[in-house]
């Protein structure tokens, strides 16, 4: 987790729901983003606050600092909330690169307990179909003409609980609206960010899920049909 998600509403709808009370630096239009199968290795709109304004920047989903690349470590797409604030890989991002990923839901693959080769994808989303915001940490240079190769972001994950653990043991870190805004603020200390991440997680009982077709497994497949419920899932 988290290896795929959906981001299909308009920029304006996400920001109106967040009700940030902070000026947005840029223009908003009514055109849906329309991505139903967002995959690692692609550029994703990352919501971040710089000084007193909110920005949306297309940032590479994945992070591989130079030292990790030199040692042969592959890019990472997620960071565990339990260790991200203190580990060598992610501490710099946690301290100064906190951001949010706007989303409408995410996908997980449930394994057959008797045959690990058999997996069934599920789409997980808020029960009220509200927008959700994944906590993310990042390193990127929005004003650079030639961005460094190690620019990127990862989604912060937490342990699943209640019904979600039946699908997967990890989930994206989704906090309350107020905590999400404080998470992004440059004035929030790394220590306070840890408190937010551990104490203001939206509970699993606010989410629901349904099985979807295997087409989501191919990054070239996209469109609204990806999130449609299917009958007779294999798991």
């Amino acid at each position: 987790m988290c290896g795929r998600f959906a981001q299909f509403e308009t920029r304006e709808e996400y920001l109106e729901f967040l009700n940030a009370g902070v000026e947005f630096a840029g223009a908003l239009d009514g055109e849906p983003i329309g991505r139903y199968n967002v995959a690692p290795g692609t550029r994703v709109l990352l919501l971040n606050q710089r000084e007193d304004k909110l920005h949306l920047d297309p940032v590479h989903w994945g992070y591989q600092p130079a030292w990790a690349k030199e040692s042969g470590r592959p890019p990472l797409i997620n960071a565990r909330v339990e260790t991200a604030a203190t580990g060598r890989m992610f501490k710099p991002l946690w301290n100064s690169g906190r951001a949010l990923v706007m989303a409408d839901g995410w996908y997980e693959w449930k394994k057959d307990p008797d045959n690990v080769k058999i997996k069934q994808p599920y789409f997980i989303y808020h029960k009220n179909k509200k927008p959700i915001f994944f906590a993310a940490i990042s390193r990127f240079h929005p004003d650079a003409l030639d961005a460094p190769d190690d620019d990127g972001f990862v989604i912060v994950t937490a342990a699943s609980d209640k019904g979600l653990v039946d699908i997967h043991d990890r989930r994206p870190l989704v906090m309350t609206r107020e905590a999400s805004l404080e998470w992004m603020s440059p004035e929030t200390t790394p220590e306070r960010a840890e408190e937010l991440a551990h104490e203001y997680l939206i509970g699993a009982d606010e989410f629901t899920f349904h099985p979807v077709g295997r087409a989501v497994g191919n990054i070239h497949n996209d469109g609204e049909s990806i999130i449609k419920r299917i009958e007779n899932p294999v798991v």
Side-chain angles (χ1 to χ4, degrees):
M1 196 292 116
C2 165
R4 298 287 174 83
F5 67 91
Q7 188 186 74
F8 51 75
E9 298 291 356
T10 68
R11 297 162 177 79
E12 187 174 19
E13 286 176 287
Y14 292 121
L15 291 177
E16 283 185 353
F17 181 82
L18 194 60
N19 190 22
V22 179
E23 182 182 354
F24 177 70
L28 295 173
D29 57 45
E31 187 69 23
I33 295 173
R35 299 184 69 182
Y36 291 83
N37 194 7
V38 182
T42 63
R43 288 188 173 271
V44 179
L45 288 175
L46 194 66
L47 183 62
N48 61 97
Q49 184 175 343
R50 302 197 292 276
E51 297 182 349
D52 59 347
K53 293 183 180 181
L54 292 180
H55 298 258
L56 275 172
D57 296 284
V59 181
H60 178 85
W61 181 12
Y63 181 63
Q64 186 187 38
W67 63 264
K69 186 174 183 179
E70 291 172 1
S71 62
R73 298 181 63 172
L76 297 177
I77 62 171
N78 297 319
R80 299 172 69 94
V81 69
E82 296 89 347
T83 57
T86 56
R88 177 188 179 190
M89 177 77 80
F90 295 124
K91 185 176 180 179
L93 281 63
W94 182 281
N95 290 349
S96 58
R98 295 185 303 275
L100 296 175
V101 174
M102 311 175 303
D104 299 280
W106 73 95
Y107 302 93
E108 295 292 0
W109 278 255
K110 184 178 181 180
K111 297 178 181 179
D112 186 323
D114 299 320
N115 187 343
V116 295
K117 294 183 179 181
I118 299 177
K119 301 177 182 179
Q120 172 63 54
Y122 283 79
F123 184 56
I124 306 171
Y125 51 98
H126 196 278
K127 285 183 176 179
N128 294 330
K129 297 186 178 180
K130 297 177 180 179
I132 55 179
F133 298 85
F134 303 152
I137 51 177
S138 64
R139 176 188 182 274
F140 67 101
H141 299 77
D143 299 321
L145 294 178
D146 295 308
D149 291 339
D150 58 353
D151 273 12
F153 79 90
V154 296
I155 293 172
V156 181
T157 69
S160 293
D161 58 356
K162 299 182 180 179
L164 292 184
V165 77
D166 295 335
I167 304 298
H168 200 280
D169 62 351
R170 303 293 297 179
R171 52 172 286 198
L173 178 65
V174 181
M175 294 176 285
T176 64
R177 186 187 68 83
E178 295 81 3
S180 295
L181 292 172
E182 190 175 353
W183 165 267
M184 276 195 304
S185 173
E187 297 180 358
T188 300
T189 66
E191 294 75 20
R192 175 56 179 164
E194 284 194 75
E195 294 177 2
L196 295 170
H198 289 284
E199 297 178 14
Y200 293 92
L201 182 71
I202 292 180
D205 55 358
E206 294 196 32
F207 296 94
T208 188
F209 51 83
H210 63 250
V212 297
R214 296 184 181 180
V216 69
N218 187 329
I219 63 173
H220 299 293
N221 294 327
D222 207 343
E224 191 173 358
S225 62
I226 295 290
I227 65 171
K228 295 296 185 182
R229 179 191 298 271
I230 64 166
E231 303 298 330
N232 304 315
V234 296
V235 182

